[in-house]
Amino acid sequence: MKLFVGLGNPGSGYARNRHNIGFMAMDRIAEDHGFGPWKSKFQGEVTEGRLGSDKVLLLKPGTFMNRSGQSVQAAMQFYKLEPADVVVFHDELDLAPGKCRVKQGGGHAGHNGLRSIHGHIGEAYGRVRLGIGHPGHKDAVAGYVLHDFPKADDDWLDDLMRGISDGAAHLADGDTSKFMNAVALRVAPPRSSTSPAKTEKADGPKPAPKPEAAPEPDTRNPVQKLVDRFR
């Protein structure tokens, strides 16, 4: 079994916050892949289903961000999972809005949710870092992440969620390259050429025009030329 964890804060007042993009990802995967109804368990909300051939548990901790580790640890202990079985989806200030990166292990970079998870299960779990951009100054970070996504962000946010859902089975299977490709196809699809290259006709290029023939020499004598002039 795999455990996918989306980070966020519980309650309708936080639902559209940038900090809740992890919750949004879990909701999209559950909806698109026919997971069961959400149930209260492990100090959060969970739903089970299958992604490809893998059984997956989706978890949205209900402990608020800075205690996320409690909920994650409870689910892991119940299912006897290892950190390598866990993938955490979280907001990432150091990535531009709409960007997505996958990482295995490493530090928490000051993220309160990751800091809590580190404290409960260690650092050897996977992460899907979801870019939300940076407000520009560290003093503005708290207000920025707890603010709703503006309407102007709806398009890229929807593309990102679709891409995550498209690639979720690959992620569960451990194929991060295919997962990232699925995301890229949604957020940055390849462009088709609007001006196709010109092609030669099957019979090749047109031949160059033939030069005009040189005029025939005038063989008339002077008298004949004079007579012809007054005709």
Side-chain angles (χ1 to χ4, degrees), residues 205-216:
K206 293 181 179 180
K210 294 181 179 180
E212 294 183 6
E216 295 183 2

Side-chain angles (χ1 to χ4, degrees), residues 87-91 100-103 126-130 164 171 179:
V87 180
V88 177
F89 294 69
H90 66 91
D91 56 304
C100 175
R101 296 290 184 271
V102 179
K103 181 180 179 182
R127 306 97 190 272
V128 176
R129 304 162 62 216
L130 305 174
I164 289 169
L171 187 65
F179 169 73

Side-chain angles (χ1 to χ4, degrees), residues 90 92 103 106-116 118 125 127:
H90 66 91
E92 178 57 72
K103 181 180 179 182
H108 55 67
H111 191 288
N112 287 336
L114 299 184
R115 189 198 308 273
S116 175
H118 270 52
Y125 57 92
R127 306 97 190 272

Side-chain angles (χ1 to χ4, degrees), residues 37-180:
W38 290 94
K39 298 178 181 179
S40 295
K41 201 172 184 179
F42 309 126
Q43 303 176 60
E45 290 189 312
V46 297
T47 180
E48 290 185 27
R50 301 196 77 86
L51 294 173
S53 60
D54 296 285
K55 186 176 181 181
V56 178
L57 181 75
L58 306 182
L59 170 65
K60 296 188 293 183
T63 50
F64 285 92
M65 185 67 78
N66 60 358
R67 294 182 178 177
S68 300
Q70 297 175 190
S71 178
V72 175
Q73 185 180 50
M76 287 178 63
Q77 289 177 342
F78 183 85
Y79 288 103
K80 297 179 173 58
L81 301 176
E82 298 295 328
D85 301 318
V86 178
V87 180
V88 177
F89 294 69
H90 66 91
D91 56 304
E92 178 57 72
L93 289 163
D94 293 332
L95 288 178
K99 295 293 184 182
C100 175
R101 296 290 184 271
V102 179
K103 181 180 179 182
Q104 190 71 33
H108 55 67
H111 191 288
N112 287 336
L114 299 184
R115 189 198 308 273
S116 175
I117 295 173
H118 270 52
H120 284 81
I121 71 168
E123 54 82 32
Y125 57 92
R127 306 97 190 272
V128 176
R129 304 162 62 216
L130 305 174
I132 61 170
H134 198 286
H137 195 281
K138 63 180 182 179
D139 292 342
V141 165
Y144 178 76
V145 299
L146 293 175
H147 194 277
D148 285 0
F149 282 107
K151 283 290 185 182
D153 287 353
D154 281 354
D155 286 345
W156 71 254
L157 186 58
D158 186 59
D159 287 341
L160 180 59
M161 294 297 106
R162 287 174 182 270
I164 289 169
S165 179
D166 290 347
H170 297 307
L171 187 65
D173 198 38
D175 195 331
T176 57
S177 294
K178 287 185 178 180
F179 169 73
M180 288 299 298

